[in-house]
Amino acid sequence: MIPTLFVILVYIVGPIAILTWAVKRYRHGVKPAFGEVVVVSLAVFLMALFAFTTTWNTSDDDDQEVVQIVQELTERYDFPVKAQFAERPAVEGVAKPRRLEIRVYGVITSPEQAKVVNVLKKLRKQIASKPIVVHFMRKEVWEENADGSRQPRRDREELLRKVRVE
């Protein structure tokens, strides 16, 4: 509680108070001194830093939502393709700053894709706090290295359809 209050005071209330003070002084005809310009610049920087850090990061809650959505989706829909090198359906999720991305492999026909989207619409209402973007991919592409290790090549995968679930 105290760290949250401290962040609110330092990054929001303090800079707003400094900006209000500077604008009132300027309207009354007082030219700002160098020190006042530095303080106002610091206040603007702190507010911009707070805005940047709160809007461009993912939280643990986002990661948990993606895991829960993928788990519920695999329980509610019978996927035709298994993931390569794993005993699970070929579905994966990633939390992004403004959305939750789900990649579905092997669901090629439009009616089947519509079924998946309907399930995701229900899950969006139940679980997700951010929009869900589902990418329907033809198949997973993996590259095997000379030492026997393998890595996914997401840049070589074929996108069939992309749907945003609000």
Side-chain angles (χ1 to χ4, degrees), residues 105-122:
Y105 297 93
V107 180
I108 297 172
T109 63
S110 292
E112 293 301 313
Q113 291 175 357
K115 290 177 186 177
V116 172
V117 169
N118 285 336
V119 171
L120 285 172
K121 284 180 182 178
K122 293 174 185 172

Side-chain angles (χ1 to χ4, degrees), residues 29-61:
V30 178
K31 299 266 182 177
F34 177 73
E36 293 170 344
V37 171
V38 170
V39 170
V40 170
S41 299
L42 180 64
V44 170
F45 173 75
L46 286 175
M47 287 193 312
L49 180 66
F50 181 74
F52 178 76
T53 58
T54 57
T55 58
W56 292 103
N57 285 338
T58 59
S59 67
D60 292 337
D61 293 338

Side-chain angles (χ1 to χ4, degrees), residues 3-148:
T4 304
L5 184 61
F6 181 72
V7 166
I8 290 171
L9 287 174
V10 169
Y11 289 100
I12 299 172
V13 175
I16 288 174
I18 290 170
L19 289 175
T20 304
W21 167 78
V23 167
K24 284 183 181 180
R25 281 181 50 94
Y26 187 75
R27 284 189 180 167
H28 284 89
V30 178
K31 299 266 182 177
F34 177 73
E36 293 170 344
V37 171
V38 170
V39 170
V40 170
S41 299
L42 180 64
V44 170
F45 173 75
L46 286 175
M47 287 193 312
L49 180 66
F50 181 74
F52 178 76
T53 58
T54 57
T55 58
W56 292 103
N57 285 338
T58 59
S59 67
D60 292 337
D61 293 338
D62 295 336
D63 294 333
Q64 290 174 357
E65 283 180 6
V66 167
V67 169
Q68 190 174 3
I69 287 171
V70 169
Q71 181 181 8
E72 289 287 326
L73 182 62
T74 56
E75 289 174 5
R76 294 183 186 187
Y77 184 81
D78 186 29
F79 288 95
V81 177
K82 294 286 185 194
Q84 290 184 2
F85 314 113
E87 281 299 316
R88 60 175 177 78
V91 178
E92 66 178 28
V94 178
K96 300 285 183 162
R98 299 213 175 261
R99 65 191 176 280
L100 305 175
E101 287 190 358
I102 308 293
R103 287 179 174 254
V104 177
Y105 297 93
V107 180
I108 297 172
T109 63
S110 292
E112 293 301 313
Q113 291 175 357
K115 290 177 186 177
V116 172
V117 169
N118 285 336
V119 171
L120 285 172
K121 284 180 182 178
K122 293 174 185 172
L123 291 174
R124 166 70 171 110
K125 291 177 184 175
Q126 295 172 357
I127 300 171
S129 61
K130 293 180 180 179
I132 299 172
V133 178
V134 58
H135 299 267
F136 291 100
M137 311 300 279
R138 184 167 303 280
K139 65 177 185 173
E140 289 182 285
V141 177
W142 287 77
E143 181 178 89
E144 288 201 34
N145 298 327
D147 62 353

